[in-house]
């Protein structure tokens, strides 16, 4: 007697396809991914995560006062969520709308993702490129052969994803050397994302997003949805990390810059100077410190106004920044007091540099009848060692002697 079937074979098969119930695979070397994952649940989970990440990115964009990179990433995630949700409705009577509009939204998401990298790299958004993939898909859907061929649609969708991933990776790779933040995580994920779709282009001819899929396409479909989940999480957090790191660097730069002269402030000079002196000590090289003070600055303010005093400070700060080497450190450490640390400079060289700065200051022209001069005290590691506070103290003593001996002169520490 033949074994009794467990329920209606046709009904059971239809139910498994309609709601994505667990599939029983023939014996093989190991379980398939589709045996262990409930695909509609996984798909809805990905849509939920995309929406959640998109809303979090919108909040971060709003809190960052309009950081456009976060805004485009929010758009990427939310549009992708809408595209995947619409694409998943295939098989319930609205296939044409799902195929056309769902995939147009997914390609628009790809264009926005590329623009996220483009904007972060400092280039403006280019809307023809953003809309190009979606418009191309819409035009192709007007061709009946394309609309009727699932393998052709899958191939074109893969090529567009690969294209936008490559563009996004290229934007970051192009400026990697000029950026001060690490783009390696985002770059790596874009490369992996494009590589996955290269594999799909090579091996998959019929998998598509939807609540009904063919038995042959279910395994690759599971991998595709899982990859979308991992990629969305990874690229969102990598983008947020890059934006946050760049913002922190900008805040740090502001905290270490003098707002009037746009050179380093006392904090920048102190921290940078200590590192530089430690390096000189380790390498056995000399170092010298110049302490500069504009002469009769209070009288300049009282006679010609604070605007003229500010102009004198800005002019001298620019002169100092342009008159030293790239490896030197200079900064405004007080009201009209500036300091410059010269690695590799002995007593003789530092006196020559100080005299050149003094002479250039005497030639500054602010306006007719307004003359600016500077007194400079010099101390070197030959007298003070490599201790920054000791160098500052000795150069301050030398500066005091320069003031006492008539100003507009250079004096060197005798200790």
């Amino acid at each position: 007697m033949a074994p009794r079937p467990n329920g209606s074979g046709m009904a059971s098969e239809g139910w498994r396809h309609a709601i994505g119930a667990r599939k029983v695979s023939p014996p093989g070397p190991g379980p398939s991914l589709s045996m262990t994952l409930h695909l509609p649940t996984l798909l809805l989970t990905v849509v939920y995560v995309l929406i959640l990440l998109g809303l979090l990115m919108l909040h971060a964009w709003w809190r960052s006062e309009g950081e456009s990179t976060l805004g485009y990433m929010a758009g990427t995630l939310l549009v992708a969520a809408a595209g995947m949700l619409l694409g998943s409705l295939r098989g319930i009577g609205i296939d044409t709308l799902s195929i056309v509009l769902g995939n147009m939204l997914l390609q628009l998401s790809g264009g926005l993702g590329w623009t996220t990298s483009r904007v972060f790299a400092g280039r403006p958004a280019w809307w023809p490129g953003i809309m190009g993939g979606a418009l191309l898909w819409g035009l192709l859907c007007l061709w009946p052969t394309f609309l009727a061929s699932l393998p052709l649609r899958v191939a074109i969708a893969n090529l567009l994803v690969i294209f936008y991933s490559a563009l996004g990776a290229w934007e970051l790779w192009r400026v990697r050397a000029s950026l001060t933040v690490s783009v390696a995580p985002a770059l790596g994920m874009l490369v992996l994302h494009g590589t996955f779709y290269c594999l799909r282009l090579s091996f998959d001819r019929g998998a598509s997003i939807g609540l009904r899929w063919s038995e042959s396409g279910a395994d690759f479909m599971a991998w595709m949805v899982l990859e979308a989940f991992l990629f969305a999480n990874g690229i969102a957090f990598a983008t947020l990390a890059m934006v946050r790191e760049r913002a922190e660097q900008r805040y740090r730069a502001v905290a270490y810059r003098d707002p009037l002269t746009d050179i380093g402030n006392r904090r920048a000079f102190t921290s940078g100077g200590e590192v530089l002196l430690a390096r000189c000590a380790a390498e056995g090289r000399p170092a010298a410190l110049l302490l500069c003070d504009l002469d009769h600055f209070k009288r300049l303010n009282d006679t010609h106004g604070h605007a003229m005093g500010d102009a004198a400070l800005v002019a001298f700060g620019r002169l100092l920044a342009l008159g030293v080497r790239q490896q030197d450190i200079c900064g405004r450490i007080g009201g009209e007091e500036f300091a410059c640390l010269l690695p590799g400079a002995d007593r003789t060289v530092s006196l020559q540099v100080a005299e050149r700065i003094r002479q250039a200051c005497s030639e500054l022209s602010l306006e007719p009848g307004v003359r600016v001069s500077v007194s400079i005290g010099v101390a070197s590691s030959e007298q003070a060692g490599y201790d920054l506070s000791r160098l500052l103290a000795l150069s301050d003593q030398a500066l005091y002697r320069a003031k006492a001996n008539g100003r507009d002169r250079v004096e060197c520490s005798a200790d």
Side-chain angles (χ1 to χ4, degrees):
M1 182 176 178
R4 187 175 180 181
N6 184 15
S8 170
M10 292 296 293
S12 176
E13 184 68 19
W15 180 256
R16 281 198 298 270
H17 282 289
I19 66 171
R22 181 172 298 181
K23 183 181 74 174
V24 178
S25 298
S32 68
L33 185 66
S34 58
M35 283 184 62
T36 57
L37 293 177
H38 188 246
L39 295 184
T41 302
L42 179 60
L43 183 61
L44 292 176
T45 301
V46 173
V47 171
Y48 170 78
V49 169
L50 287 171
I51 294 174
L52 181 61
L53 289 174
L55 292 176
L56 290 174
M57 282 290 169
L58 275 179
H59 177 71
W61 169 74
W62 177 74
R63 293 284 296 174
S64 67
E65 298 181 355
E67 169 59 63
S68 54
T69 301
L70 297 178
Y72 282 108
M73 177 52 68
T76 300
L77 297 167
L78 293 174
V79 172
M84 292 194 73
L85 184 60
L86 190 56
S88 69
L89 300 180
R90 201 169 310 166
I92 60 174
I94 56 171
D95 285 13
T96 300
L97 179 63
S98 176
I99 292 170
V100 177
L101 187 55
N103 281 283
M104 285 183 70
L105 289 173
L106 290 175
Q107 300 311 325
L108 177 59
S109 172
L112 290 169
W114 157 59
T115 304
T116 301
S117 297
R118 179 182 173 91
V119 170
F120 183 80
R123 297 215 288 171
W126 191 52
W127 282 99
I130 296 174
M131 302 295 299
L135 293 176
L136 176 62
W137 186 272
L139 291 174
L140 286 173
C141 286
L142 298 176
W143 180 27
T145 302
F146 176 80
L147 199 60
S149 173
L150 178 59
L152 181 58
R153 296 199 311 269
V154 169
I156 295 299
N158 289 337
L159 288 172
L160 287 172
V161 173
I162 295 167
F163 177 69
Y164 276 127
S165 298
L167 283 180
W170 167 247
E171 293 288 353
L172 296 178
W173 177 263
R174 184 180 56 84
V175 296
R176 71 194 185 284
S178 60
L179 291 176
T180 57
V181 303
S182 174
V183 299
L187 186 60
M189 279 181 286
L190 286 168
V191 171
L192 289 175
H193 187 57
T195 302
F196 174 84
Y197 277 88
C198 286
L199 293 174
R200 187 187 180 210
L201 182 65
S202 302
F203 297 109
D204 181 29
R205 293 293 181 269
S208 61
I209 297 176
L211 294 179
R212 295 181 181 178
W213 42 74
S214 64
E215 292 290 333
S216 62
D219 287 341
F220 213 104
M221 175 64 191
W223 284 110
M224 188 177 74
V225 175
L226 182 60
E227 191 275 342
F229 174 81
L230 297 175
F231 176 70
N233 278 277
I235 199 64
F237 284 104
T239 301
L240 189 61
M242 291 191 305
V243 170
R244 180 178 178 180
E245 184 180 356
R246 185 166 66 180
E248 288 176 349
Q249 290 181 356
R250 287 174 177 171
Y251 293 145
R252 191 179 302 115
V254 171
Y256 279 76
R257 303 297 290 182
D258 176 58
L260 178 62
T261 61
D262 200 35
I263 64 174
N265 57 17
R266 189 180 189 94
R267 179 188 298 177
F269 180 80
T270 301
S271 59
E274 289 174 347
V275 172
L276 190 58
L277 285 172
R279 188 180 306 138
C280 288
E283 297 171 355
R285 294 194 300 155
L289 191 146
L290 313 183
L291 194 59
C292 312
D293 190 272
L294 296 183
D295 297 326
H296 302 297
F297 187 73
K298 183 177 184 304
R299 187 169 66 189
L300 177 67
N301 274 332
D302 293 341
T303 305
H304 300 281
H306 289 280
M308 183 59 65
D310 288 347
L313 293 172
V314 170
F316 185 76
R318 187 182 301 116
L319 180 155
L320 195 62
L322 295 176
V324 298
R325 303 164 300 176
Q326 186 176 3
Q327 63 265 36
D328 300 332
I329 295 177
C330 60
R332 181 187 177 198
I333 63 173
E336 66 271 20
E337 198 169 60
F338 297 78
C340 186
L341 187 62
L342 311 177
D346 57 16
R347 177 189 176 102
T348 302
V349 172
S350 60
L351 285 172
Q352 293 173 351
V353 173
E355 181 59 31
R356 187 171 67 244
I357 292 172
R358 186 203 65 78
Q359 182 63 32
C361 181
S362 67
E363 297 172 357
L364 284 177
S365 178
L366 300 178
E367 68 175 34
V370 179
R371 182 177 178 273
V372 179
S373 66
V374 63
S375 299
I376 304 176
V378 180
S380 70
S381 58
E382 296 165 320
Q383 292 87 35
Y386 296 96
D387 181 77
L388 182 60
S389 8
R390 178 68 175 160
L391 281 169
L392 282 169
L394 291 182
S395 60
D396 188 55
Q397 293 174 11
L399 175 62
Y400 180 80
R401 287 201 305 273
K403 294 284 188 181
N405 290 334
R407 294 182 170 85
D408 193 16
R409 60 187 294 116
V410 175
E411 291 284 350
C412 185
S413 170
D415 296 340

